Amino acid sequence: MTVTDRVRWDERYARGDYGNRVQPSTWLERQTQGRRLDGLRVLDVACGAGRNALYLAARGASVTGIDLSKVGLERAADRALQARLPISWVQADLADGWRAVGLAGRFDLIVIVRYLNLPLVTELIDHLTPGGLLLTEVHARADRPVVGPQSDRFRVQPAELWAAGQSAERVAFEQGYFEDTDGRLASLARLAVRHR
């Protein structure tokens, strides 16, 4: 991304955009239901204001959230402080790839929600612990009005996300129209893969 992208996201968060998004992704909830997260090392990629990071930390995971927006991370950190949840926050531009972030080690769970960067999905599979899980959910192309980006440049075509996870064991995949956490219609592709 560019400086312009960072400024645009900072402005969105400063205006209060996404302020009502406090529920975690339903995909994340479903895929982690019944799983013990206590002590797991978790990475929330493009975490924004932290809704998924907070959910995971509340379930006992050791969470690191990464985002481009300083303002979004400040909002996330405030919410974590109020909830007394210890979460590490890192401001980084993930468009430059994982090496630009500089975090060492492997993760038991990696979450990428609503951030389209297919090469990064493929790259992060190698940063899972053996048996570790990567969950991603991105906007998909649509033939009717839906929430999210208007440009198809920020939406996947059928099977693109599926292909990005080919180096791992595919656990679950779905693509279609879903009711978003705020009740609006979303066109999404969702993938869960496990490190072999």
Side-chain angles (χ1 to χ4, degrees):
M1 296 209 174
T2 64
V3 172
T4 306
D5 292 319
R6 187 174 64 245
V7 169
R8 182 169 48 88
W9 282 104
D10 281 345
E11 288 173 351
R12 283 182 178 179
Y13 286 115
R15 277 193 314 258
D17 291 6
Y18 312 105
N20 61 348
R21 279 194 168 242
V22 294
Q23 296 299 319
S25 157
T26 55
W27 177 244
L28 172 62
E29 284 184 302
R30 259 195 297 141
Q31 293 301 316
T32 59
Q33 187 175 14
R35 293 177 188 260
R36 291 204 55 184
L37 300 181
D38 294 350
L40 293 186
R41 188 169 188 228
V42 175
L43 178 66
D44 184 2
V45 175
C47 65
R51 65 185 177 123
N52 295 313
L54 273 86
Y55 166 77
L56 293 162
R59 293 198 41 204
S62 174
V63 181
T64 298
I66 298 177
D67 200 87
L68 174 70
S69 171
K70 180 181 178 186
V71 178
L73 289 173
E74 287 169 352
R75 186 190 297 176
D78 286 345
R79 290 179 58 209
L81 186 62
Q82 290 172 12
R84 295 190 171 111
L85 293 172
I87 300 173
S88 299
W89 306 104
V90 176
Q91 184 182 5
D93 188 346
L94 294 158
D96 297 330
W98 180 245
R99 288 187 183 152
V101 176
L103 284 178
R106 294 182 177 268
F107 297 88
D108 302 299
L109 174 63
I110 298 175
V111 178
I112 310 170
V113 174
R114 311 285 173 100
Y115 173 59
L116 180 57
N117 185 333
L118 296 176
L120 184 66
V121 170
T122 302
E123 184 179 5
L124 284 176
I125 289 169
D126 291 334
H127 294 279
L128 289 167
T129 57
L133 195 65
L134 184 143
L135 303 174
T136 185
E137 172 186 275
V138 294
H139 292 284
R141 303 261 172 115
D143 57 7
R144 63 181 91 161
V146 289
V147 299
Q150 297 305 303
S151 171
D152 281 346
R153 187 171 81 112
F154 301 106
R155 292 181 174 273
V156 292
Q157 293 186 36
E160 282 183 310
L161 184 59
W162 176 261
Q166 66 186 350
S167 67
E169 174 191 348
R170 292 182 184 100
V171 175
F173 176 80
E174 59 187 29
Q175 184 168 325
Y177 294 96
F178 303 92
E179 184 176 310
D180 212 352
T181 55
D182 60 7
R184 297 182 297 168
L185 187 66
S187 176
L188 302 170
R190 297 164 160 171
L191 176 68
V193 295
R194 182 177 291 115
H195 191 282
R196 296 185 194 276

